[in-house]
Amino acid sequence: MEFNVLILPGDGIGVEVTREAVRVLDHICAKYGHKAHLKEALLGGIAIHKTGGPFPAETEALARDADATLMGAVGLPEFDNLPPSQRPEKGLLGIRACLGVFANLRPVRSYAALLDSSPLKNHLVDGVDMIIVRELTGGIYYGQPRGISGEGDTERGVNTMTYTRAEIARVSRMSFELARNRRKKVTSVDKSNVLECSQLWRKVILEVAKEYPDVELDHLLVDNCAMQLVLNPKRFDVVVTENMFGDILSDEGAVLAGSIGMLPSASIGARRPSGAWVGLYEPVHGSAPDIAGQNKANPFGAIGSVAAMLDYSFGLKEEAAAVNAAMEAVLNSGRVTADLKPKGTPATTAQVGQAVCEAIG
Ligand code: NAD
């Protein structure tokens, strides 16, 4: 297979972890006989320094052309006091909008070697393997009307939770298709006992479910889901929910895995004519200025994002499984970075990337 991948290392540890992710991608391609055409471009603080803006036109054009985009992280402390419109993070919103990605997928899984790093008891977290699908472009973060008006005791803040049938249906279908390739179970999360918006959500996903009779669907109210994620996280396979509920639940899910450096993510848009999903892949963590430039960032989140890209954008399931298995082998070997508290001397970012390639074979 041949594919074009745009690489956006970004700022801080984004550069370091992306280097290792690309090393693993190159290695997988060499082993399985694929050809990845890689182009690199600027995003975030480095783009502001070099071009005056966080999301240059050249980056936008390359992102539109690429089959998938692999991103590191953006953010530099020197921009921290500027208004949001002038900060590196504005580049993230720019690329997400340009690619039209409407669902954020966060795989959450436990690793035997990291069970003790989880805040939950080992028996609860051992065997967790779920994907949280968060709708990304609708809901209360974007709904109108919004704002603050009036004064004194009647001063009022307003936000509006709103979804159309089409918005609910497309993220529902994506979730059922993901589940089809997994344990065939979708849990839809809403607040339909109180919110009309959630009642429409439940009605539409029930209709979509008829197209997927091989996939089981159940529903949880968001407050109960927050509880079940810590009481019985193994019950979940694919969880789908609206934007704000997903924002909150995916961070709750994130702590199950032990370290923020472990977590990959995928933001997915429409399907291309080839059947592949438009995808933007990135670790969940930020640019970590406190450890940037020290070769000690954990690259697993970025490497896991490569596995997600191989799977969702290119349908290369065997290759994705090989990357995941290699990461697990390296974790078990103890050659890991300082955040995972290894017994001996911590490995560097580059050593972990090299170890994953060796484990792939
Ligand atoms: P952060 O995720 O960068 O760091 C939080 C803590 O986790 C730090 O102590 C850091 O050292 C540690 N950490 C993060 N990733 C790690 C890794 N791979 N290995 C080891 N330790 C790791 O969050 P923050 O400090 O709140 O934000 C720093 C900058 O990153 C800010 O400018 C913020 O806006 C930006 N940010 C960007 C993204 C993104 O690009 N998607 C996401 C979150 C934050």
Side-chain angles (χ1 to χ4, degrees):
M1 193 171 178
E2 283 199 35
F3 39 82
N4 300 310
V5 180
L6 178 63
I7 310 292
L8 301 172
D11 305 316
I13 64 165
V15 178
E16 297 160 57
V17 297
T18 304
R19 192 180 297 132
E20 300 317 311
V22 168
R23 189 203 295 255
V24 171
L25 177 61
D26 281 341
H27 188 81
I28 273 284
C29 287
K31 173 163 175 174
Y32 286 86
H34 304 300
K35 179 86 197 122
H37 302 281
L38 306 184
K39 286 192 179 156
E40 192 173 310
L42 301 169
L43 186 81
I46 178 130
I48 299 179
H49 279 306
K50 295 205 170 167
T51 70
F55 184 43
E58 189 189 344
T59 302
E60 180 169 352
L62 287 169
R64 286 186 197 282
D65 268 2
D67 296 312
T69 300
L70 182 66
M71 206 169 80
V74 299
L76 290 176
E78 69 207 71
F79 297 108
D80 276 356
N81 296 322
L82 294 181
S85 62
Q86 292 166 32
R87 292 176 52 137
E89 292 82 348
K90 180 84 180 154
L92 281 180
L93 302 181
I95 188 150
R96 286 178 186 154
C98 140
L99 292 176
V101 289
F102 61 82
N104 182 249
L105 278 50
R106 287 220 196 156
V108 178
R109 55 162 299 194
S110 69
Y111 292 95
L114 292 185
L115 289 180
D116 288 337
S117 315
S118 170
L120 297 193
K121 292 194 175 79
N122 289 4
H123 75 274
L124 289 177
V125 81
D126 189 12
V128 165
D129 182 3
M130 73 177 97
I131 297 184
I132 300 180
V133 180
R134 165 188 169 192
E135 201 289 330
L136 207 53
T137 57
I140 197 165
Y141 293 167
Y142 296 95
Q144 295 290 342
R146 65 185 296 159
I148 300 178
S149 60
E151 54 189 43
D153 284 350
T154 56
E155 187 173 7
R156 240 163 74 93
V158 174
N159 290 94
T160 304
M161 184 183 279
T162 165
Y163 272 104
T164 63
R165 165 178 287 277
E167 286 171 326
I168 301 167
R170 68 182 179 180
V171 75
S172 300
R173 283 200 180 89
M174 174 180 290
S175 305
F176 282 107
E177 287 181 29
L178 280 170
R180 254 189 183 159
N181 289 314
R182 296 172 47 91
R183 301 197 306 280
K184 298 189 168 41
K185 182 172 174 192
V186 170
T187 300
S188 169
V189 178
D190 62 38
K191 189 72 183 167
S192 59
N193 53 341
V194 179
L195 302 174
E196 283 80 0
C197 190
S198 281
Q199 286 163 5
L200 180 68
W201 180 281
R202 199 175 274 213
K203 180 171 137 188
V204 173
I205 196 166
L206 275 166
E207 287 169 16
V208 171
K210 292 185 188 139
E211 299 166 28
Y212 300 89
D214 52 323
V215 179
E216 181 193 341
L217 170 68
D218 70 349
H219 306 271
L220 280 184
L221 297 176
V222 61
D223 38 352
N224 186 17
C225 181
M227 214 161 56
Q228 297 305 323
L229 274 173
V230 290
L231 285 177
N232 185 14
K234 277 183 266 193
R235 83 179 285 294
F236 295 107
D237 180 15
V238 176
V239 179
V240 59
T241 190
E242 66 90 46
N243 203 342
M244 181 172 64
F245 298 162
D247 190 4
I248 298 166
L249 294 176
S250 60
D251 272 20
E252 189 186 354
V255 297
L256 301 177
S259 163
I260 188 166
M262 294 301 302
L263 295 168
S265 81
S267 297
I268 304 287
R271 274 193 192 275
R272 292 181 187 279
S274 65
W277 276 321
V278 172
L280 173 65
Y281 300 89
E282 57 182 310
V284 165
H285 61 76
S287 57
D290 53 333
I291 57 165
Q294 298 173 35
N295 199 13
K296 65 187 199 189
N298 180 349
F300 278 126
I303 294 171
S305 300
V306 167
M309 181 172 84
L310 293 167
D311 186 350
Y312 305 145
S313 276
F314 304 130
L316 298 173
K317 297 200 174 298
E318 189 184 337
E319 289 81 341
V323 174
N324 285 325
M327 286 200 295
E328 179 128 37
V330 173
L331 277 172
N332 290 338
S333 77
R335 288 172 76 191
V336 295
T337 43
D339 55 309
L340 300 180
K341 302 188 177 50
K343 289 201 178 78
T345 312
T348 63
T349 311
Q351 284 169 340
V352 173
Q354 182 62 40
V356 172
C357 292
E358 283 164 17
I360 290 169

